[in-house]
């Protein structure tokens, strides 16, 4: 049943008509639990509240289905606007982005031009930028671009997904770049030819890549809501005397906020992934697919209105 629901919400997340409707009708139906508003001003208010609680942030302007140069340039402008707001308001926040929103599927020239514009502005304001990993078909291209940008900029990192068979090899391949990596389980529907189909194998691989990357001496963001993975990381850093300054935990805005604050109290860096923007629908559906408990929360919200 759970797998059925997951597939259903992943299917909905790719529906362009529903995406258009969502844009038109705004952040209703419980999405505001997971999305910090439609404008950077609204997002700034949320980031300030989180910073006050000792939580660090990475902010993401949501965009799906960018298929022309004009839209890609507009998306890059939104990222630049967010970086300027972080600098102006002196927020404890980084920026996350998807390269498909910057023109990855349109042309190499376009995506590189937009990435360099963003990273130049981020460098001026002392803001770190993480390139989100998308589906498997874009994995290699994303890593190739990351490697190129890493030779030009220090303030850029990327994401690796534990459910892919290739990830341990990617950690090895990237280690000489001393990358700051966010490690995640992975939220896209992938074929068993490229990804572990069983959760227990994904979890084992997650632990393996966390250990590899930390022992390579590189900065590691462990992005998970899973207590078993959090505990594993705590024990690992204790065992190998890895300082708290070499890693952090990351969770999504609106999911397990009490656990997030508890990790801060325990002395860990805890970063919250805060998305905003009008194009929130696909992101929202993927969150519902990941955790059926979120569906119950949203339904309650709808019927309360």
């Amino acid at each position: 049943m759970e797998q059925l629901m997951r597939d259903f919400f992943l299917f909905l997340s790719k529906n362009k008509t529903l995406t258009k409707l969502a844009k038109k009708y705004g952040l209703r139906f419980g999405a505001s639990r997971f999305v910090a508003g439609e404008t950077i001003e609204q997002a700034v208010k949320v980031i300030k509240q989180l910073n006050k609680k000792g939580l660090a942030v990475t902010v993401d302007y949501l965009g799906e289905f960018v298929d022309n140069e004009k839209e890609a340039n507009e998306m890059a402008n939104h990222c630049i606007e967010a970086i300027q707001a972080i600098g102006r308001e002196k927020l404890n926040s980084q920026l996350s982005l998807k390269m498909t929103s910057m023109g990855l599927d349109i042309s190499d020239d376009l995506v590189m031009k937009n990435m360099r514009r963003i990273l130049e502005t981020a460098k001026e304001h002392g803001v770190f930028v993480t390139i989100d990993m998308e589906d498997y078909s874009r994995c290699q291209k994303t890593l190739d671009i990351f490697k190129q940008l890493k030779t030009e900029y220090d303030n850029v990192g990327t994401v690796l997904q534990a459910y892919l068979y290739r990830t341990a090899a990617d950690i090895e391949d990237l280690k000489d770049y001393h990358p700051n990596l966010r490690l995640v389980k992975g939220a896209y529907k992938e074929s068993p030819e490229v990804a572990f189909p069983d959760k227990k194998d994904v979890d084992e691989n997650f632990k393996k890549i966390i250990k590899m990357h930390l022992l390579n001496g590189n900065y590691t963001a462990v992005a998970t809501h899973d207590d078993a993975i959090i505990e594993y990381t705590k024990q690992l850093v204790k065992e190998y005397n890895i300082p708290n300054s070499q890693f952090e935990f990351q969770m999504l805005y609106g999911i397990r906020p009490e656990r997030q604050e508890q990790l801060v109290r325990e002395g860990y860096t805890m970063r919250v992934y805060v998305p905003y923007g009008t194009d929130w629908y696909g992101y929202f559906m993927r969150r519902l697919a990941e955790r059926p408990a979120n569906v119950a929360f949203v339904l309650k919200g709808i019927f309360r209105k």
Side-chain angles (χ1 to χ4, degrees), residues 84-98:
Q84 289 166 340
I86 291 167
R88 186 175 60 248
E89 302 283 346
K90 298 184 172 45
L91 304 173
N92 179 1
S93 180
Q94 300 178 350
L95 177 85
S96 290
L97 59 80
K98 286 187 170 50

Side-chain angles (χ1 to χ4, degrees), residues 11-50:
F11 164 74
L12 289 181
S13 76
K14 297 192 174 97
N15 187 298
K16 293 191 182 189
T17 309
L18 290 174
T19 298
K20 274 194 189 127
L21 280 172
K23 267 186 174 174
K24 190 174 171 189
Y25 291 108
L27 282 171
R28 297 178 196 179
F29 309 129
S32 59
R33 175 184 172 169
F34 307 106
V35 180
E38 297 196 341
T39 66
I40 186 61
E41 290 76 22
Q42 289 169 328
V44 164
K45 281 182 191 156
V46 170
I47 295 167
K48 282 181 173 172
Q49 286 166 2
L50 293 167

